[in-house]
Amino acid sequence: MAALEAELRRGVRGDVGFDVTSRALVTMDASNYRRVPLGVVAPRDADDVAAVLEVCRERRVPVVARGGGTSIAGQATGTGVVLDFTRHMNRLVSLDPGSRTAIVQPGLVLDRLQEAAAPHGLRFGPDPSTHSRCTLGGMIGNNSCGSHSVAWGTTADGVRELDVVTARGERLRLGRDWAGAPEGLRALVEGEPALLRTGFPELPRRISGYALDALLPERGADVARSFCGSEGTLGVLTEAVVRLVEAPRARALAVLGYADESAAAEAAAGLLPLGPLTVEGMAADLVPSPEALPRGGAWLFVETGGGL
């Protein structure tokens, strides 16, 4: 550990912490898992990220990228070196209302992006319940969604381009039409097109597994989109260009009552063609006092929006 720490301190401009406190602060995320790392590095820029990966690659030390630590399955913990992006690489680099895009660093908290976009009548579509503390890097790594996914999709739907550093030290700018594709990826896809067209379920909130079907030609051969949800296993994100959407100027919430959960679930599919912003369900066992709700044993909370 002493040799690893010394080498990282020589090669990194950011903060390097191998003390008990620094390590203890990142042993857990929002799950029940606890893993103690060797050390923590808060990189200042992409050069720092590349330097950490080079040192750890030579010493065969695993690296975990960490944002707000809101993951619920242990993804933000590791026994090697943890990269903490919240300390320095947490900026909104730029926001262009005309093109409805923003350039963000991985440690930027989602709410900071929403606050900057709001005066322009814009917002980032996905909004996990942890929006006040989750970071854009973590959202891209997990392909997060949230209650408004029925309207604006998952994080992958809001990504244009990604700057990443791979485990081999390559710096890639991922985008559509095979932009930034690492060696061998295109051959893999072009060798199994039938399997990729039939092997993935058509689910609007499919976020598990590698999104190799995003690399099909009819889907734009979108390397950036295929990276979303890979949870840091394909590279470490250092910057992202994300797409913003128009925020509805007026919203309304309807609470619909049904006899039970099955009836509510069957009704939900019929609401989607009407273009709601949100369709969320709740059953009676989660509502201690249902007197203020419509009569029933289950409810759908349906949010709609539009112009004034």
Side-chain angles (χ1 to χ4, degrees), residues 66-70 85-86 89-92 102-114 123-128 130-131 133-144 155-156 158-159 162 227-229 237-244:
R66 181 183 176 101
T70 60
F85 285 100
T86 62
M89 296 183 68
N90 56 10
R91 294 174 49 234
L92 171 59
I103 301 177
V104 302
Q105 292 183 326
L108 178 69
V109 172
L110 175 58
D111 271 7
R112 304 293 83 77
L113 174 59
Q114 304 292 39
R123 56 165 290 149
F124 189 60
D127 57 346
T130 55
H131 53 83
R133 52 206 182 277
C134 70
T135 64
L136 270 296
M139 292 178 65
I140 291 168
N142 289 284
N143 194 13
S144 303
T155 298
V159 164
L162 301 175
F227 184 89
C228 296
L237 176 73
T238 59
E239 193 171 270
V241 180
V242 297
R243 179 177 64 91
L244 305 175

Side-chain angles (χ1 to χ4, degrees), residues 15-18 22-24 26 37-42 80-84 87:
D15 307 320
V16 177
F18 276 62
S22 296
R23 296 160 61 207
V26 296
L38 298 176
V40 184
V41 177
V81 170
V82 173
L83 287 173
D84 176 10
R87 193 174 307 177

Side-chain angles (χ1 to χ4, degrees), residues 45-171:
D45 51 30
D47 290 341
D48 272 1
V49 174
V52 172
L53 292 179
E54 181 179 1
V55 170
C56 292
R57 180 174 65 253
E58 292 175 351
R59 293 183 171 272
R60 301 184 67 83
V61 173
V63 177
V64 170
R66 181 183 176 101
T70 60
S71 305
I72 59 174
Q75 303 102 302
T77 67
T79 57
V81 170
V82 173
L83 287 173
D84 176 10
F85 285 100
T86 62
R87 193 174 307 177
H88 300 301
M89 296 183 68
N90 56 10
R91 294 174 49 234
L92 171 59
V93 179
S94 65
L95 192 152
D96 184 352
S99 64
R100 295 185 179 179
T101 59
I103 301 177
V104 302
Q105 292 183 326
L108 178 69
V109 172
L110 175 58
D111 271 7
R112 304 293 83 77
L113 174 59
Q114 304 292 39
E115 290 165 2
H120 306 286
L122 302 173
R123 56 165 290 149
F124 189 60
D127 57 346
S129 60
T130 55
H131 53 83
S132 64
R133 52 206 182 277
C134 70
T135 64
L136 270 296
M139 292 178 65
I140 291 168
N142 289 284
N143 194 13
S144 303
C145 40
S147 62
H148 290 95
S149 63
V150 294
W152 298 309
T154 69
T155 298
D157 295 299
V159 164
R160 289 281 184 86
E161 296 178 320
L162 301 175
D163 287 346
V164 304
V165 183
T166 71
R168 296 179 179 178
E170 298 174 290
R171 300 195 190 194

Side-chain angles (χ1 to χ4, degrees), residues 29 35 40 80 96 102 107-108 118 120-121 138 143 158 173 201 203 207 221 223 227 231 248 250 259 269 276 292:
D29 54 13
R35 294 191 288 182
V40 184
D96 184 352
L108 178 69
H120 306 286
N143 194 13
R173 188 170 184 84
L203 301 174
I207 60 175
V223 184
F227 184 89
E231 298 188 6

